Amino acid sequence: SSSSACVPMMARYLASLVCLGLVCAQDWPTCQEENIVIRNAGRALFTNLQGFGATVGCFQDDCQNTDKFVASSIESCTKVCQSLPECEFWVWGQEEGEQKCWFRLGDDGREAGEGWISGSRSCYPPGQQAIVMGNFDCWIDGFNYDTCCDPKFGPSGNSQCWDGVFNYDRCCFPKEEL
């Protein structure tokens, strides 16, 4: 029948859609755009980065509402961008003598910048996975970062989440540093 001839073509089409869904990483590290910076241009992604481990170098020292943070490696940028559904681009560069990551909703502010490296959401090392906010070991029985650690609950999080084993400091920060 004529429908069976379409099966291989349909399989290739579905595979291409999966890659469009950013499941397929670009070639790393060749996907990095060297000496390119993506400035704010109204497209900065301000969000809570504290749960990913951001603690310093944030906008106005507020890591719960920032588009940047001090990071130990370029992979911190790729990992966090991959973990934020709204993130389209990451930027790795220096500000005030410290290496930082920035996150963007688009690349409207793209320009040449000596020493900067930028990449799209799909530019990350092979095998890298998105990261969960907070300490993954805490999120059992319906508890998660949003229900326990959201800034709306104040500096100690949602008291309903904590007991002798689980607390804000243990659960609202990841086990590994960025």
Side-chain angles (χ1 to χ4, degrees):
S1 76
S2 63
S3 65
S4 63
C6 293
V7 171
M9 195 168 76
M10 183 59 91
R12 279 196 307 274
Y13 173 70
L14 290 174
S16 71
L17 282 182
V18 168
C19 289
L20 285 175
L22 304 177
V23 172
C24 297
Q26 296 174 355
D27 285 340
W28 177 267
T30 55
C31 57
Q32 298 174 14
E33 297 182 69
E34 295 195 21
N35 299 313
I36 297 291
V37 60
I38 303 173
R39 305 248 180 239
N40 177 339
R43 306 290 280 155
L45 171 54
F46 278 84
T47 189
N48 181 355
L49 297 178
Q50 181 177 285
F52 294 118
T55 56
V56 292
C58 299
F59 181 73
Q60 296 181 342
D61 293 324
D62 181 2
C63 293
Q64 293 184 336
N65 185 28
T66 187
D67 67 330
K68 64 182 177 180
F69 68 95
V70 168
S72 57
S73 71
I74 194 169
E75 289 81 7
S76 297
C77 307
T78 64
K79 218 180 280 186
V80 171
C81 186
Q82 191 183 2
S83 306
L84 295 168
E86 312 86 20
C87 184
E88 292 297 326
F89 294 91
W90 54 263
V91 179
W92 170 246
Q94 207 171 77
E95 181 183 59
E96 298 166 356
E98 298 190 279
Q99 287 295 135
K100 294 186 178 183
C101 298
W102 283 261
F103 304 98
R104 301 293 182 241
L105 297 164
D107 66 346
D108 309 34
R110 176 185 297 271
E111 60 186 58
E114 188 66 34
W116 293 86
I117 300 176
S118 297
S120 70
R121 173 188 186 86
S122 57
C123 180
Y124 58 83
Q128 177 179 284
Q129 300 287 314
I131 47 179
V132 172
M133 291 184 82
N135 179 347
F136 184 78
D137 296 343
C138 293
W139 309 139
I140 54 174
D141 298 332
F143 290 102
N144 62 45
Y145 186 89
D146 291 333
T147 58
C148 295
C149 307
D150 192 285
K152 72 182 176 202
F153 295 116
S156 301
N158 182 350
S159 60
Q160 307 274 309
C161 295
W162 315 133
D163 60 20
V165 177
F166 300 105
N167 61 55
Y168 183 83
D169 288 335
R170 175 176 178 213
C171 296
C172 296
F173 297 94
K175 287 196 285 192
E176 292 152 27
E177 288 190 19
L178 285 173

